[in-house]
Amino acid sequence: MTEITGKVYVAGHRGMVGSAVCRRLASEANCEVLTASRDTLDLTNQSSVEDFFAQHRPDSVIFAAAKVGGVLANDTYPVEFLGDNLLMSTFAINAAYAAGVKRFLFLGSTCIYPRDCPQPIQEEALLTGPLEKTNEAYALAKIAGLKLCQFYRRQHGVMFHSAMPTNLYGPGDNYHPEHSHVLPALLRRFHEAKNENLDSVTIWGTGTPRREFLYVDDLADALTFLMAQDNPPDWANVGTGVDLSILELSHLVAKTVGYEGDIKTDPSKPDGTPIKCSDVSRLNGMGWKHKVELAHGLKRTYDHFLNEVESGQMRSV
Ligand SMILES: NC(=O)c1ccc[n+]([C@@H]2O[C@H](COP(=O)([O-])OP(=O)(O)OC[C@H]3O[C@@H](n4cnc5c(N)ncnc54)[C@H](OP(=O)(O)O)[C@@H]3O)[C@@H](O)[C@H]2O)c1
């Protein structure tokens, strides 16, 4: 068990990752969690960010704020995905250093590795080839944030480092029919297909791309694990190391929600990267491994989803 101490600013605490981090930090006895909602702190506003850090002077930061979305959202709004993410991370990292923050954990993503890099993806693959076109803008911003942390560490000796999570899912996910990621999008579609007694559900693309999924509470645990390391790597993959095809995932989601109709594919829609699975040997070698297997995590996520629907709080933005 690792221990986190002092005042920890969790940026993006209302998001899926940020709220999981707050749940995880609640069990740390000597840690005070600092948060700020977007109404009081717009992270794309440089002077607000500088004032916030100067006033609150956190000991450490877990930076889970970002403009996040699925393939369609990334492809449609590249200006916001590059611009907002670049501003948020640059302002926060610079302001943190200026305010004497001792530790900054930035969140990258395995989707910022080159599109065709060898599988499973090793940390060394970063910047070794062209990016996936559909999320190029997001990836460029994330790579800049991750490298800025690495350069601060190298140039100024501060413990600024990053985690590279794989695809995440869990409580608080976004279920927007077009802007969400593949797993929450499937969960919602199969749930609705069951309620509407549909004979079949057609999934986007060929169903053959292979993906890896990590339950978000496992990520939060890995982040606290990394925060407690004396000499963490500049970035470490966080995943399960296990992949499955989108068609296999669809069947698993259908089973979870109790949908019994047919599942069809639509090859006219783009697939994105053919395979994406992370090599998690670096983090496993340091002593951390995921705990929640996909079938179990899906069940927990669906239970949350049903509660969110019932209470009118399903996130769909
Ligand atoms: N979801 C995944 O599958 C996945 C995979 C790999 C890496 N990640 C990384 O994990 C991090 C968190 O992702 P997530 O899935 O938790 O996203 P999320 O649920 O959309 O949460 C993002 C958070 O960022 C906040 N935010 C966005 N723009 C802001 C701004 N201008 N000022 C202040 N706050 C702002 C949002 O605030 P509001 O609540 O006000 O909207 C929200 O709380 C991101 O860095 C993402 O790249 C996610």
Side-chain angles (χ1 to χ4, degrees), residues 14-17 38 42-43 64-66 108 138 142 166 168 315:
R14 292 201 308 208
M16 178 171 66
V17 171
R38 195 197 294 232
D42 178 352
L43 289 162
Y138 173 82
K142 284 281 171 190
T166 188
L168 304 168
R315 181 176 165 204

Side-chain angles (χ1 to χ4, degrees), residues 43-57:
L43 289 162
T44 62
N45 182 316
Q46 184 171 11
S47 56
S48 300
V49 175
E50 288 170 354
D51 290 350
F52 177 83
F53 274 94
Q55 186 189 341
H56 295 283
R57 299 200 167 267

